[in-house]
């Protein structure tokens, strides 16, 4: 058997290092992000995901000597030349050593252009035989936007690209920094933007579309690098806001008109440009099925507004190039939507944890949830990507609006931030979002009945971000949803990530128990036990 290890690693990496192991048929044997193991959110500055590599090998039951090729999701020779350092044997040996590979037998190293790896991560795990592929992120080696034509059995073909001065990722980052939410605050910006959905926010003209194509206020200079582009976007955002920063703290940004206006303008720009690019991708390829990758692919509000068939992989951001680099060398031959559950198992709770496990019973867990308790779930292999998909989730009943306040308080989050639902059926409470519901990557508008029935997952603009859970994805949670339905409860739960502020999702049962206790969840569901972690009687109104 041939083993190919894809990595987000090397000179080009800024954040989200990851590893993915596939065989010669493109079967994903393991894929995991470094942050789940080193417990540092996004692992910024880590150039080699050595822990993730080791976990992939361990999961597959092989050693480093069994790996035939390491596929890097960046064009390392091109980046090395830019730094005046030739890429050669020594460069490969250094990178392999950082990843945990030492002689005498070393794998080959293949470098895949960053956007090509993104595109591969989206198309080869999609349900399509052919698709238009749109890649939108901060930047690859040079480009910030790319369009590809993809067909099974054929190489990906790039049809168009735009340089960094057109970067939606860098623009959105500038808005996040102005808002005081940090470089990685894109999800918060998106949530805040909904508070200005009914406002008449003027178009800042940062990026515009029309008969002359895509136009950037930064011009067309393809030589602009990240630092120069970032600085210029920051100036544009400050000028539009008319102030050096918001007047309110992060926890009260929804009450700050200038902050809402900046977030709304940034989100409107993304939605307008992504919508235009989606149309361009379909027109250039003549294919209506659309795949999206790149960090901007995590913008579920923009995804949800796109017409037609849309697929976004569970790892559209930079971690996904580990998957895409591997698939660039060994792609799946048949269309099949990939599973997101490719990480490690939680393992047993260690001795001395001080908790008393109880029998794992569907009805008992359903009763706790129906009674208003918050429960953590840490079962099966962990999800790859940033969305908790019921293997590493906090779950709660969404039937009262107060649960949103409670869950935000438990997670130490800003009260203006929204949550999404998970269901196993079609409850008719929101407009269907197609494949975007598989990984919780598309916003959907709630029906009038949905807004009334599950207010805890209704955002201020009337949308929600749903997940449709299949029985094979997580049988126990699926059974709990069915049990709730039989009790007359909507077959829906509030589903959010099992972590505290600034932390990656929990990976092991011990991580989960410590987190549940620290934050104050009532109970923890593991592979084989229900562990009570809090005072069952202490359920706020």
């Amino acid at each position: 058997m041939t083993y190919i290890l894809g990595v987000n690693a090397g000179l080009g990496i800024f954040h989200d290092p990851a590893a993915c192991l596939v065989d010669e048929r493109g079967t994903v044997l393991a894929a995991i992000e470094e942050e789940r193991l080193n417990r540092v959110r996004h692992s910024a500055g880590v150039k080699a995901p050595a822990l993730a590599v080791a976990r992939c090998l361990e999961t597959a039951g092989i050693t480093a000597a069994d790996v035939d090729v390491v596929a890097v999701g960046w064009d390392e020779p091109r980046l090395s030349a830019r730094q005046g350092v030739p890429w050669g044997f020594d460069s490969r040996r250094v990178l392999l050593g950082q990843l945990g590979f030492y002689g005498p037998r070393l794998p080959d190293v293949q470098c895949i252009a960053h956007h090509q790896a993104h595109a591969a991560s989206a198309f080869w795990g999609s349900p399509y035989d052919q698709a238009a592929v749109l890649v939108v992120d901060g930047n690859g080696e040079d480009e910030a936007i790319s369009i590809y034509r993809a067909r099974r059995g054929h190489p990906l073909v790039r049809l168009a690209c735009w340089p960094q001065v057109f970067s939606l990722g860098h623009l959105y980052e500038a808005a996040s920094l102005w808002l005081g939410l940090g470089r990685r605050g894109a999800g918060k910006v998106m949530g805040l933007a909904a508070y200005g959905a009914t406002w008449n926010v003027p178009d800042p003209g940062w990026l515009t579309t029309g008969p002359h194509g895509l136009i950037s206020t930064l011009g067309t200079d393809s030589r602009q690098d990240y630092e120069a582009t970032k600085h210029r976007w920051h100036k544009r955002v400050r000028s539009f806001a008319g102030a050096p920063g918001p007047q309110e703290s992060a926890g009260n940004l929804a009450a700050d008109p200038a902050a809402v206006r900046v977030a709304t303008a940034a989100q409107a720009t993304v939605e307008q440009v992504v919508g235009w690019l989606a149309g361009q991708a379909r027109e250039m390829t003549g294919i209506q099925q659309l795949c999206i990758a790149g960090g901007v692919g995590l913008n579920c509000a923009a995804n949800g507004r796109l017409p037609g068939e849309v697929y976004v992989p569970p790892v559209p951001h930079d971690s996904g190039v580990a998957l895409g680099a591997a698939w660039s060398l060994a792609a799946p031959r048949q269309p099949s939507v990939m599973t997101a559950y490719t990480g490690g198992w939680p393992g047993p709770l260690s001795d001395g944890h001080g908790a008393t496990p109880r029998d794992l019973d569907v009805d008992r867990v359903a009763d706790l949830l129906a009674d208003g308790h918050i429960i953590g779930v840490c079962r099966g292999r962990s999800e790859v990507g940033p969305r908790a998909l019921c293997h590493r989730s906090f779950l709660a009943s969404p039937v009262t609006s107060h649960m949103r306040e409670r869950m935000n308080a438990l997670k130490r989050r800003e009260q203006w931030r929204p949550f999404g639902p998970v269901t196993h059926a079609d409850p008719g409470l929101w407009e269907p979002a197609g494949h975007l519901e598989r990984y919780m990557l598309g916003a959907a508008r709630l029906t009038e009945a949905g807004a009334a029935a599950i207010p805890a997952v209704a955002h201020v603009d009337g949308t929600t971000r749903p997940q449709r859970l299949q029985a094979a994805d997580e049988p126990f949670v699926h059974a709990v949803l069915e049990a709730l339905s039989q009790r007359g409860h909507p077959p829906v739960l509030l589903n959010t990530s099992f972590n505290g502020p600034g932390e990656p999702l929990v990976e092991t049962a011990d991580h989960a128990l410590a987190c549940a206790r620290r934050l104050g969840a009532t109970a923890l569901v593991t592979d084989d036990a229900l562990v009570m972690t809090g005072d069952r009687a202490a359920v706020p109104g």
Side-chain angles (χ1 to χ4, degrees):
M1 181 175 286
T2 300
Y3 294 103
I4 300 164
L5 181 76
V7 292
N8 182 30
L11 294 172
I13 185 174
F14 296 102
H15 51 81
D16 297 309
C20 173
L21 185 69
V22 306
D23 63 19
E24 71 275 6
R25 296 182 300 275
T27 303
V28 177
L29 305 175
I32 191 168
E33 295 156 280
E34 188 78 357
E35 67 168 22
R36 302 295 183 89
L37 305 172
N38 67 13
R39 309 306 300 156
V40 178
R41 186 80 175 269
H42 298 298
S43 298
V46 176
K47 295 291 185 180
L51 297 175
V53 169
R55 180 58 56 85
C56 284
L57 301 182
E58 177 188 0
T59 300
I62 66 172
T63 69
D66 296 312
V67 175
D68 297 280
V69 185
V70 171
V72 183
W74 291 88
D75 188 341
E76 290 291 286
R78 187 166 153 200
L79 295 172
S80 293
R82 186 176 297 167
Q83 294 185 6
V85 179
W87 171 264
F89 176 79
D90 288 342
S91 303
R92 290 192 292 271
R93 183 175 287 274
V94 168
L95 176 60
L96 289 171
Q98 292 172 337
L99 294 170
F101 293 90
Y102 307 98
R105 181 186 182 277
L106 292 175
D108 186 22
V109 176
Q110 297 288 325
C111 296
I112 311 299
H114 190 64
H115 274 210
Q116 181 181 331
H118 268 312
S121 75
F123 175 66
W124 297 115
S126 79
Y128 308 133
D129 280 314
Q130 60 178 6
V133 184
L134 174 62
V135 180
V136 189
D137 65 359
N139 64 277
E141 291 81 10
D142 295 302
E143 60 276 70
I145 301 168
S146 299
I147 291 174
Y148 290 80
R149 181 176 62 241
R151 291 191 174 97
R152 299 275 166 187
H154 299 273
L156 300 174
V157 178
R158 191 171 76 173
L159 303 179
C161 67
W162 288 260
Q164 288 190 52
V165 287
F166 295 91
S167 174
L168 285 169
H170 292 339
L171 166 59
Y172 217 77
E173 180 184 296
S176 180
L177 286 167
W178 185 90
L179 289 162
L181 299 175
R183 290 184 61 185
R184 314 280 177 241
K188 295 183 182 183
V189 178
M190 182 175 62
L192 181 62
Y195 287 83
T198 60
W199 295 15
N200 185 21
V201 176
D203 183 353
W206 294 327
L207 290 166
T208 58
T209 60
H212 300 292
L214 182 59
I215 299 173
S216 170
T217 189
L218 302 189
T220 60
D221 187 353
S222 62
R223 297 169 299 176
Q224 292 287 326
D225 64 11
Y226 167 70
E227 290 299 330
T229 306
K230 177 182 73 171
H231 178 69
R232 296 178 69 194
W233 278 131
H234 287 175
K235 289 179 63 177
R236 297 300 192 282
V237 172
R238 285 197 301 270
S239 176
F240 174 76
Q247 296 297 307
E248 299 286 348
S249 64
N252 204 34
L253 284 178
D256 186 332
V260 173
R261 190 165 59 249
V262 166
T264 302
Q267 180 63 30
T269 300
V270 168
E271 292 179 10
Q272 174 198 353
V273 174
V274 168
W276 181 83
L277 288 167
Q280 292 295 300
R282 285 166 164 154
E283 182 177 336
M284 288 181 187
T285 61
I287 303 170
Q288 291 305 300
Q289 291 82 9
L290 177 68
C291 298
I292 298 177
V296 178
L298 290 172
N299 193 303
C300 63
N303 295 341
R305 289 183 177 274
L306 295 174
E309 288 193 60
V310 180
Y311 173 82
V312 183
V315 278
H317 61 309
D318 270 11
S319 292
V321 302
L323 172 65
W327 272 346
S328 293
L329 303 183
R333 298 183 180 93
Q334 300 297 323
S336 177
V337 180
M338 73 168 288
T339 177
Y341 308 112
T342 60
W345 285 271
L349 289 168
S350 60
D351 293 337
H353 54 70
T356 302
R358 302 189 181 191
D359 291 339
L360 190 56
D361 180 77
V362 167
D363 287 325
R364 179 179 293 171
V365 172
D367 287 342
L368 286 169
L369 290 164
D371 287 344
H373 293 273
I374 295 173
I375 293 180
V377 174
C378 183
R379 289 173 51 83
R381 296 181 71 175
S382 59
E383 308 93 328
V384 68
R387 299 289 186 255
L389 301 172
C390 294
H391 279 210
R392 303 293 187 274
S393 291
F394 278 125
L395 301 177
S397 170
V399 299
T400 66
S401 59
H402 185 53
M403 181 55 77
R404 174 176 155 176
E405 300 171 13
R406 286 184 53 210
M407 187 68 85
N408 268 325
L410 178 136
K411 293 198 63 179
R412 283 46 164 184
R413 300 194 336 166
E414 298 85 359
Q415 280 293 336
W416 46 265
R417 292 176 62 187
F419 293 105
V422 59
T423 185
H424 71 313
D426 182 5
L429 301 179
W430 55 80
E431 296 174 358
H435 295 300
L436 297 176
E437 292 190 32
R438 181 174 289 271
Y439 311 124
M440 227 175 186
L441 285 172
R445 184 154 296 279
L446 285 160
T447 64
E448 186 175 344
I454 49 174
V457 293
H459 200 20
V460 67
D461 63 349
T463 65
T464 194
R465 185 181 65 195
Q467 181 198 357
R468 184 70 59 84
L469 186 71
Q470 306 297 317
D473 292 340
E474 173 38 56
F476 186 84
V477 174
H478 191 277
V480 168
L481 286 163
E482 181 60 31
L484 287 169
S485 179
Q486 293 171 359
R487 287 162 167 74
H489 188 286
V492 181
L493 288 169
L494 182 158
N495 173 26
T496 189
S497 55
F498 197 159
N499 60 341
E503 300 172 346
L505 270 70
V506 298
E507 177 68 11
T508 68
D510 282 342
H511 291 161
L513 180 60
C515 182
R517 282 176 163 168
R518 184 173 68 253
L519 298 182
T522 297
L524 167 67
V525 173
T526 68
D527 281 334
D528 54 10
L530 170 65
V531 182
M532 304 306 295
T533 59
D535 181 359
R536 215 185 132 173
V539 181

